[in-house]
Amino acid sequence: MSKRAYIEIDKNDLPEIFEIELAGQNVYLKFDFNYVGQFYTVDLFDNNMEPIVIGEKLSYGRKLWSGLSNPLIPNVDIMPFDESLKEKTITPENLGVTVFLYLMTLENDGDYL
């Protein structure tokens, strides 16, 4: 059982878009797979479907939207991560199996960021 909440992605039905509440604000996330580069991406939209960040690459162990300073980005740490610490990358085989898009809310989560 997971210690953290996570955002569920249906990797078999991409592109996938859905509304979600993050840090008290409703936003839309759109997930897709880049077949040329072999990586997953996420787009962030406000509640009017206006783009905030487009084409953010999901990178294992790296917080989404890190390094961006846009007040429209929800103030929440979201990171592709494997709680067992066995994985080091995101692949079609492990996403949604051992690697999940976690909301990093535990006290020691800053150690991973």
Side-chain angles (χ1 to χ4, degrees), residues 56-106:
E56 175 82 4
K57 180 180 178 182
L58 296 183
S59 297
Y60 182 88
R62 189 176 139 263
K63 185 178 96 169
L64 290 182
W65 312 301
S66 62
L68 298 178
S69 58
N70 182 331
L72 299 177
I73 297 173
N75 187 22
V76 62
D77 291 331
I78 304 169
M79 186 169 66
F81 184 67
D82 170 19
E83 286 187 321
S84 73
L85 303 177
K86 293 178 184 172
E87 303 289 349
K88 301 294 179 214
T89 61
I90 304 170
T91 67
E93 293 76 31
N94 68 20
L95 183 64
V97 178
T98 55
V99 174
F100 296 91
L101 201 57
Y102 284 108
L103 302 173
M104 303 300 282
T105 57
L106 299 181

